[in-house]
């Protein structure tokens, strides 16, 4: 489990660092035009709608069809740890099916904070904070804060989800009052 999260975090950090080091701050220009960035934001919104509607078949079509496709999500299997990586479309489809069949699932992103950046002309990354309400794997069914990081890859003319990483946001520590 830790290896999966470390690998996903390393991939994200490596992507950001390579993007930052490949361009000078004053000369950097996103490799994707505004229309493409808007298209990916629309895809993100569609993915959220499909998830809230439990439309696993349509979600399947939004993912890159590859054994390298990754979903990081809450595990219901103690041997996997609390969170795990699910590689390949069959494993992702099964995981999403299990979550959808656990009861109501509601994803509520903060669209004002949705950010999409181009890494290359064929790779993009989106980031959005969101609340997720779900009863899957012993969760309480109350909204909890998460970060949703998606790596997108361009396949032919379409943008597909290559990796979707859900990170739970730990509760904030109480602020100590000075006396």
């Amino acid at each position: 489990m830790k290896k999966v999260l470390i690998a996903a975090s390393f991939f994200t950090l490596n992507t950001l660092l390579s993007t930052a080091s490949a361009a000078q701050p004053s000369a950097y220009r996103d490799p994707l035009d505004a229309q493409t960035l808007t298209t990916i934001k629309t895809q993100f919104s569609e993915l959220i709608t499909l998830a809230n509607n439990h439309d696993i078949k349509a979600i399947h079509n939004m993912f890159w069809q590859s054994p390298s496709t990754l979903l990081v999500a809450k595990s219901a299997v103690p041997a996997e740890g609390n969170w795990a990586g699910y590689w390949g479309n069959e494993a992702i489809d099964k995981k999403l099916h299990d979550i959808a069949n656990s009861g109501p699932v509601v994803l509520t992103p903060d669209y004002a904070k949705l950010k999409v950046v181009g890494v290359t002309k064929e790779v993009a990354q989106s980031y959005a904070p969101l609340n997720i309400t779900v009863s899957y794997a012993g969760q309480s069914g109350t909204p909890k804060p998460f970060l949703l990081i998606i790596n997108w890859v361009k396949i032919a003319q379409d943008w597909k989800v290559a990796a979707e990483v859900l990170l739970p946001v730990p509760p904030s520590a109480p602020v100590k009052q000075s006396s």
Side-chain angles (χ1 to χ4, degrees):
M1 165 51 199
K2 288 181 182 177
K3 289 180 185 177
V4 170
L5 287 179
I6 290 169
S9 297
F10 177 75
F11 176 78
T12 301
L13 179 60
N14 189 35
T15 300
L16 293 174
L17 289 176
S18 64
T19 301
S21 65
Q24 299 172 357
S26 62
Y28 176 75
R29 190 170 151 267
D30 197 301
L32 300 176
D33 60 32
Q35 181 179 354
T36 301
L37 296 172
T38 299
T39 297
I40 295 168
K41 286 180 180 181
T42 301
Q43 291 278 113
F44 177 91
S45 179
E46 181 180 340
L47 181 65
I48 296 298
T49 299
L50 294 172
N52 286 336
N53 291 333
H54 296 201
D55 191 342
I56 305 307
K57 189 173 192 173
I59 292 171
H60 171 88
N61 293 330
M62 291 194 73
F63 274 79
W64 178 33
Q65 300 303 301
S66 167
S68 297
T69 303
L70 169 66
L71 171 69
V72 176
K74 176 101 171 111
S75 174
V77 179
E80 293 177 338
N82 200 21
W83 286 78
Y86 301 90
W87 294 93
N89 302 99
E90 185 177 328
I92 291 169
D93 289 349
K94 180 178 180 343
K95 182 62 172 176
L96 294 176
H97 179 268
D98 291 349
I99 293 170
N101 286 334
S102 71
V105 178
V106 180
L107 285 70
T108 310
D110 183 346
Y111 284 105
K113 293 182 180 174
L114 171 61
K115 177 75 174 169
V116 178
V117 296
V119 177
T120 69
K121 289 185 182 281
E122 292 82 26
V123 177
Q125 189 168 69
S126 63
Y127 161 93
L130 74 161
N131 284 317
I132 300 177
T133 305
V134 64
S135 298
Y136 177 74
Q139 295 176 82
S140 68
T142 58
K144 301 280 185 186
F146 287 81
L147 300 176
L148 176 55
I149 301 162
I150 300 177
N151 292 322
W152 301 85
V153 63
K154 189 173 185 183
I155 305 295
Q157 299 302 314
D158 296 324
W159 285 92
K160 300 291 185 177
V161 175
E164 179 177 312
V165 180
L166 289 160
L167 296 175
V169 175
S172 299
V175 176
K176 293 185 179 182
Q177 302 266 332
S178 301
S179 22

